Amino acid sequence: MANTYRNFLQTEIEFLKGVGPARADLLKKELNIFTYRDLLMHFPFRYVDRSKIWAIRDLDDQMPYIQVKGVLQNYKKEGIGKSMRAKATLNDGTGHIELVWFQGLKWLDDFVKNGQTYIAFGKPSVFRNIISITHPELSLPEREKFETGIQPVYSITEKMRARNFDSRAIAKVCHTLVHHPEFYIQENLPDSILDNLQLVNRKMALKNIHFPENIDMANAAIDRLKFEELFFLQLKILHYKQQVSSQKTNIIVTQIGEQFNNFYNTKLPFELTDAQKKVLKEIRTDLGLGKQMNRLLQGDVGSGKTIVALLSMLMMADNNYQCCLMAPTEILATQHYKSISELLYDTGITCRLLTGSTSNSVRKDIDANLLNGEIHILIGTHALIEDKVQFRNLGLAVIDEQHRFGVAQRYKLWKKNQEPPHILVMTATPIPRTLAMTLYGDLDISVIDQLPQGRKPIRSVHRYLRGLSDVYTFIKTQIAEGRQIYIVYPLIDESEKLDYEHLMGGYEELKQIFPEPQYTMGMVHGKMKPKEKENVMSHFAKGDIHILVATTVIEVGVNVPNASVMMLMSAERFGLSQMHQLRGRVGRGVDQSFCILVTGDKLGADTRKRLKTMVDTTDGFVIAEVDMELRGPGDLEGTRQSGMLDLKLASISVDHKWVALSRQQAQELLVIDPLLQLPENSNTSKYFELYKRQNGDWGRVS
Ligand code: ADP
Ligand code: MG
């Protein structure tokens, strides 16, 4: 074995003293630990303080894991068969506790001797005034050194437990590893950063995260490693962004032309909000720079992103470029197509729709006219990114409701042209800042932080099932006033069939309450063909239907200004951001709108918090923060697939400080040394290359 640090850490795990073939096999199969490095990176998930031995008389059942030392007596077994248990008492002169075991009794028989002194470790509980510890860890007082002080606790699997390869055993082999004479860790952060942020060095951190001298050292080690983890992620994102934004392009908006001006002055049905104007200027600047634009447009539901996109597309059209607008669902794409072609009526700008259900003959026609440049704006679904869709000169690709698309798909659009088109990504899911820095860290961000004038804030209430009849009465008065209603049922992941039955059952009941011909109802759900869905939706949009009963398929983007009530059935089953999205379907017209959250009586604390947040605020950013806090960032919509949040130590939702610091430090480093070529950054550079290889390079852009 060569004596370099890389080779040492790459050594296969079975070579480590105390591991051997059987345990190596377990480590590989159960924990994916193949090498010394893997073991070193298997961090404990918590610590227990074994530096202190408690007096038994001081124990109570509020304590965490503790240890006591005393003489064991009265070891005996009770019960038979499966209910057999072992019991003993432990006496330390200040009092006694009971020890109880249900498993591993055979091993106990061999190990436990009455009259012997042991250290017992576990969580005390109290039953009938007797303090006991169930399944204490027992050890003899003269223990190995690594078992005193702050102890790491590692995750293990059932299989490992069954083979007596427990957290302690892992601690033991880890201890061997970090005390191996060849153990060597290369620093991977620049000295300046270590100094600035007062971080411990890498070797110290990796030793102390497993075996800290005290809790402060454990925290210092964790902080350092969290920072490192986030720093290299940010470095990767920013490095990528740097590659992208240095991409020169000939796709330039040199002038604001006739189409834009005509539309702006004579066709625009309303005055833009200041926020819309600001964002439009940002886009206008980007498009004129001769550099590829990659911009994220964030704006709460109803803030008017579509018109900004359309105006941007008109700028391109005036400079003889084509544009496309991609939406996540057929319904949305169709709706965009309709509203945009209406707005463009008589302007000479040609707009077409391409989705999965576009017929072959129409498709052929679209293909031909895309290539000869007759089509100026193509609107559609994922169908747009298929390779066979070829443009003559695509200049701008707009992606609506980004959270339904993965990062990879975003980059597919680049390939649509000889020169990558400008990209404008729009999302109505407000994203907490730290998350945006990560998920969209390669994009420049614009925010529409203002709703069009005259919108009345939606009133949200929480109602119980038992109060449903009042709700229905209210809905009837709304309908009498000419309004329309959404009633949405949740998707229950376990079974599509159940969802369907749930929805159908609800629909039948509602029919009794809102009988024809006085009331008309329609239904949309995931099982319907796009054409059928669209048919119902367009009836609703036209006002032919009073009540639209739906699953969450209507979640994004659909725009029916006359709808004034959004009623969510079994609201306890909806996520917070999802409820906010759905609520955004109403409040688009001049009338007062309502969101009614209906639940059963039994609600958990998290559910109450979700409902209360909905009732208290309509601010999407506040909602996003609470959502992230409740669920963690990994569960937020669209982040799951990204893989960017698979972090070992750091959490985007908790470690705001470290996310911001890592971003800032990575940024500063790249400003000074964009290609990491300075000698003082050579360790960082080497590690970064390795990091990119292990964590998936997003590939070269060109
Ligand atoms: P979102 O940002 O959720 O995609 P839309 O673009 O669908 O929102 O806009 C919501 C509604 O607001 C549309 O009916 C749109 O025509 C209207 N709208 C957009 N901008 C303005 C504005 N400045 N003044 C008034 N109404 C506007
Ligand atoms: Mg929209």
Side-chain angles (χ1 to χ4, degrees), residues 269-273 276 299-307 336 400-401 428 452-453 455 557 559 561 585 588:
F270 38 69
E271 164 118 27
L272 292 186
T273 61
Q276 284 170 317
D300 215 339
V301 277
S303 61
K305 295 181 292 293
T306 317
I307 202 78
H336 275 318
D400 195 15
E401 310 297 354
Q453 274 200 334
R455 297 266 172 86
N559 191 21
R585 297 307 106 215
R588 301 184 149 236

Side-chain angles (χ1 to χ4, degrees), residues 23 50 72 75 77 84 86 99-113 118-121 135-140 147 161-166 168:
R23 285 185 158 186
R50 300 189 78 160
L72 186 139
Y75 178 69
K77 289 201 187 129
M84 186 140 80
L99 307 177
V100 188
W101 295 267
F102 301 97
Q103 287 161 9
L105 305 191
K106 193 167 159 341
W107 177 82
L108 280 173
D109 280 346
D110 296 338
F111 183 69
V112 169
K113 289 188 188 67
Y118 292 93
I119 291 178
F121 175 77
H135 277 280
E137 242 175 69
L138 272 194
S139 53
L140 296 168
E147 284 185 297
R161 195 189 310 281
R163 309 224 182 128
N164 259 326
F165 195 13
D166 58 7
R168 257 168 98 198

Side-chain angles (χ1 to χ4, degrees), residues 425-473:
V425 168
M426 306 198 291
T427 175
T429 313
I431 303 155
R433 228 171 68 82
T434 52
L435 187 59
M437 269 180 200
T438 309
L439 272 182
Y440 301 115
D442 58 325
L443 304 175
D444 295 312
I445 296 182
S446 291
V447 182
I448 303 185
D449 50 5
Q450 182 183 23
L451 291 181
Q453 274 200 334
R455 297 266 172 86
K456 296 202 179 80
I458 301 162
R459 247 183 258 160
S460 302
V461 294
H462 171 207
R463 293 287 180 266
Y464 293 98
L465 277 175
R466 52 186 148 81
L468 215 46
S469 60
D470 289 346
V471 174
Y472 290 142
T473 308

